[in-house]
């Protein structure tokens, strides 16, 4: 959450502004910039979005500076206000910093600093850090930051500058931070997306690193010992066009329509179409050698992918399993040992709760398999093996193309485990699933085409509804949850996902003529049961919007609206059924005037607990 960007070099403020625009999806409560100009630090900040900020403040005064840092905030400590916006300054305004993360011992630090006479102007945990740096600053900023972070409990990515010199100091613990290397310029950012226009060459800091950036170079030290450490320069493959809207009104819509391509790339990376084999067979077989149990863990949409994964596991293997939301995992972890594979699914690879679950599993000797979209993420570094989704950068806060790509990777994985001696249930089933996967991008394209016109009509009919119920069974149990999540997060309409069999145990009490139900009724093994649920809702005069397989007259007769999807094999249905639901949520949200790419209170990538 929050975004950090910094630059040393000509046009530093321009780079920072550009980066802030790209990073706004990470948090958009407030924005701020600090720049070194004529030996003085100038700070401009406000509790508004970047676009308004650039209209309100004239940055020309600092446009010739060669050192600048900037921040977009997602509030954790302290309300959304100008005082709480970053950058924060020390007592004399000689040192300023921006911070992502959460400082857990902030109460204790605040008391200590107040007793020592520091003037604190905000309610944030961040401001305390800059005063700690001030206390330790004796002419060497790197040393001051290194000593200061020793007093911090919690997570942080920091960029610090001082009026005395053209240098920037960074520090990282459990919050992402990268250094970009440009032509005569050095950059810092919490996410490579901020800098794709400027460079493809990055140095990824690790937990416990502190770094000094000066025009002539980079020095990285271990924050505890102060000893220099080496970090490799890596080249990222994403292009700047991947992070642009390319004519679409919102990133979310662009990403919904990118799904066939994202799936094509992802599936191609895992299945060799020529001989229908799973490409990472050897690594996966090694990882699963002697394994008895899989523990799935993730948050939000990625958790819904895990739920689908857990059904795949039950249908295709004889393995035992658990499936947890990562935010609950550490309170009562399932049994984990060297015979367990923890499957952690994450678009960003930086979700704090998912990473905490992975660390715990590693402590208990479990093997870790990541499904992740970001090659350079912390999750990938922690995992024993990663199966990548090749969805490209996902900027829209609501996850779409990353989700369907995660489903494809899990299908590919379990299609192979199905053929694996001692684990798999039926080799033939695994092969059929792989074959079906190769056709999935085309099926998703058909689902998109079919959904265009009908989602217009349905959204116009229902965008004023107060609440929605989503029902599904078996594989589409997860689709019901995901459909409801998509709607609530971008339209602010209350929506509940339910296993349809649970309906009679409570939610049916809600059904009445103004309470729409979205039912996923496709030709799969639970089709008849879903039809019965729809009958029950109709008997109580509840309007039903169905996701159905093509040409299903029965469903057509029973329901008010249908969104048709092409027929696919049962495990692949979640990937096609979610498509009209994504589009429907998007259209309802835009009709309600919601800012789809920057939903209220949300931010992409939850890097704090
Ligand atoms: C919802 C959404 C979130 C994320 C969740 C996990 O549309 O995007 O629920 O799925 O925050 O994020 P990652 O996948 O980055 O770990």
């Amino acid at each position: 959450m929050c975004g950090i960007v910094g630059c040393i070099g000509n046009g530093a403020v321009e780079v920072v502004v550009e980066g802030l625009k790209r990073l706004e999806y990470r948090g958009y409560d407030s924005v701020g910039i600090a720049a070194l100009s004529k030996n003085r630090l100038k700070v401009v900040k406000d509790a508004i979005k970047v676009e308004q900020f650039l209209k309100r403040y004239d940055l020309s005064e600092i446009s010739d500076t060669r050192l600048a840092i900037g921040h977009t905030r997602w509030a954790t400590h302290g309300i959304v206000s100008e005082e709480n916006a970053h950058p924060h300054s020390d007592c004399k305004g000689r040192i300023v910093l921006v911070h992502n993360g959460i400082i857990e011992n902030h109460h204790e630090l605040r008391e200590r600093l107040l007793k020592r006479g520091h003037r604190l102007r905000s309610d944030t945990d961040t401001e305390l850090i800059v005063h700690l740096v001030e206390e330790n600053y004796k002419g060497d900023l790197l040393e001051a930051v290194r000593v200061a972070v020793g007093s911090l409990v919690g997570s942080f990515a920091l960029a610090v500058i001082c009026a005395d010199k053209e240098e920037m100091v960074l520090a990282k613990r459990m919050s992402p931070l990268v250094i970009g290397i440009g032509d005569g310029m050095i950059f810092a950012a919490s996410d490579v997306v901020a800098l794709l226009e400027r460079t493809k060459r990055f140095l990824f800091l690790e937990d416990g690193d502190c770094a000094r950036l000066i025009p002539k170079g980079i020095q990285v030290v271990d924050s505890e010992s102060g000893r220099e450490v080496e970090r490799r320069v890596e080249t990222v493959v994403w292009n700047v066009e991947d992070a642009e809207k390319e004519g679409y009104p919102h990133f979310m819509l662009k990403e919904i329509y990118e799904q066939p391509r994202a799936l094509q790339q992802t599936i191609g990376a895992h299945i060799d179409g020529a001989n229908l084999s799973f490409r990472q067979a050897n690594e996966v077989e090694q990882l699963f050698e002697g394994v008895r149990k899989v523990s799935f863990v993730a948050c939000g949409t990625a958790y819904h992918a895990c739920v689908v994964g857990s059904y795949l596991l039950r249908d295709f293997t004889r393995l035992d399993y658990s499936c947890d939301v990562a935010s609950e995992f550490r309170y009562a972890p399932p049994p984990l040992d060297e015979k367990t594979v923890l499957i952690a699914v994450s678009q960003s690879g930086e979700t704090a709760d998912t990473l905490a679950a992975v660390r715990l599993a590693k402590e208990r000797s479990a093997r870790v398999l990541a499904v992740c979209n970001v090659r350079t993420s912390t999750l990938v570094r922690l995992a024993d093996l990663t199966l990548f989704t090749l969805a490209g950068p996902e900027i829209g806060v609501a996850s779409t193309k990353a989700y369907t790509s995660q489903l494809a990777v899990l299908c590919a994985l379990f299609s192979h485990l199905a053929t694996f001696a001692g684990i798999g249930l039926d080799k033939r089933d695994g092969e059929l699933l792989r074959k079906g996967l190769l056709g999935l991008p085309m099926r998703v394209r058909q689902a998109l085409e079919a959904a265009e016109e009908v989602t217009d009509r349905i959204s116009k009919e229902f965008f004023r509804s107060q609440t929605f119920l989503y029902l599904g069974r078996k594989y589409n149990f997860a689709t019901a949850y995901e459909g409801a999540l998509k709607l609530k997060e971008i339209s602010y309409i209350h929506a509940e996902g339910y296993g349809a069999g649970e309906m009679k145990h409570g939610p049916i009490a809600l059904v009445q003529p103004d309470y729409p139900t979205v039912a996923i009724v496709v030709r799969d093994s639970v089709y008849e049961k879903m039809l019965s649920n729809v009958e029950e809702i109709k008997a109580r005069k509840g309007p039903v919007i169905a996701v159905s397989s093509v040409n299903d007259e029965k469903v057509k007769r029973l329901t008010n609206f249908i969104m048709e999807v092409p027929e696919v094999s049962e495990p692949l249905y979640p990937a096609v059924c979610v498509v009209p639901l994504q589009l429907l949520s998007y259209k309802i949200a835009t009709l309600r005037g919601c800012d789809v790419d920057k939903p209220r209170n949300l931010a992409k990538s939850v890097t704090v607990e």
Side-chain angles (χ1 to χ4, degrees), residues 443-454:
R443 301 282 170 259
V444 164
R445 179 165 293 124
Q446 289 165 346
L448 273 167
E449 283 163 13
E452 259 163 39
E453 188 270 332
V454 70

Side-chain angles (χ1 to χ4, degrees), residues 503 528-541 544 554 558:
M503 194 179 77
E528 295 294 339
K529 304 244 185 254
M530 281 304 305
L531 276 183
S532 306
N533 290 125
V534 172
E535 301 261 18
E536 285 155 7
I537 298 164
K538 290 312 292 178
R540 287 157 185 87
K541 300 197 167 54
V544 178
K554 238 193 237 174
L558 264 181

